[in-house]
Amino acid sequence: MASFCSSGIILATATIVNPLMLQDEALGMNATMLGTGFSLFVLVQGISAPLVGALISKFGARFSMTLGAVVLLCAILALIFFVSSPVAYFAVFGVVASAATMMVGQLAVQSTLGSWFVERRGVAMTCMMVIGASSSFIAPPAVNAIMGATGGGWRSGWYLIAALVALAIPVAFSW
């Protein structure tokens, strides 16, 4: 559930929501800046992975997932309410949201499943990957429908994502 509400959803729905940010003249973004934000997101996921792994080793997957979900929710709320420039977009989406998805998502879930399942580890990992990937199919149409119903504003798409991430916090804490 936590992986479904974080890692799989953020990048898949951001490809729908963030391009609408180009239409918001107050942000002063162009296509290059939008692409730079996505590039930073992917780059920071790779760079943060060893740090997240160390966090999981030291404090456990539950702590990493809970902290990551809280930080991710804060990042999404910052995108909605405070991001007003390309630099803020780079910092919040490209860096903070990216690192937070690593904390709450794939690394923590994989390390937990790896310790829970020994004989059927491959099946457990496959199920986890299918659940995470399914969010990439389910969330974009839902976000697109919400944005269409509310007039197509990019913030309305992030509201739905914030709600899903808020659901991930108690799930991560109880993990």
Side-chain angles (χ1 to χ4, degrees):
M1 172 68 176
S3 180
F4 181 90
C5 292
S6 65
S7 301
I9 287 181
I10 300 302
L11 199 52
T13 55
T15 60
I16 296 169
V17 176
N18 288 8
L20 294 175
M21 296 171 83
L22 291 175
Q23 298 171 1
D24 188 344
E25 293 177 12
L27 294 176
M29 294 210 345
N30 60 35
T32 302
M33 292 172 185
L34 181 75
T36 301
F38 278 97
S39 297
L40 274 172
F41 188 95
V42 174
L43 181 67
V44 169
Q45 284 198 324
I47 291 171
S48 67
L51 301 172
V52 172
L55 179 75
I56 293 168
S57 291
K58 185 164 179 93
F59 297 105
R62 179 185 307 182
F63 177 81
S64 174
M65 291 173 73
T66 305
L67 178 63
V70 170
V71 170
L72 184 56
L73 180 59
C74 291
I76 292 170
L77 293 174
L79 276 168
I80 295 169
F81 297 112
F82 301 115
V83 169
S84 60
S85 70
V87 173
Y89 165 70
F90 298 154
V92 173
F93 177 74
V95 177
V96 177
S98 177
T101 60
M102 290 303 286
M103 285 190 283
V104 72
Q106 197 170 4
L107 286 180
V109 174
Q110 283 178 347
S111 67
T112 302
L113 290 179
S115 64
W116 282 358
F117 296 93
V118 176
E119 284 185 37
R120 310 277 302 175
R121 184 175 294 152
V123 172
M125 293 292 183
T126 300
C127 290
M128 188 270 308
M129 295 301 284
V130 167
I131 289 169
S134 67
S135 64
S136 296
F137 290 104
I138 295 168
V143 167
N144 200 28
I146 293 288
M147 289 189 316
T150 59
W154 62 270
R155 286 181 175 89
S156 61
W158 283 115
Y159 281 124
L160 176 61
I161 299 166
L164 291 172
V165 172
L167 290 174
I169 293 171
V171 171
F173 186 72
S174 65
W175 187 270

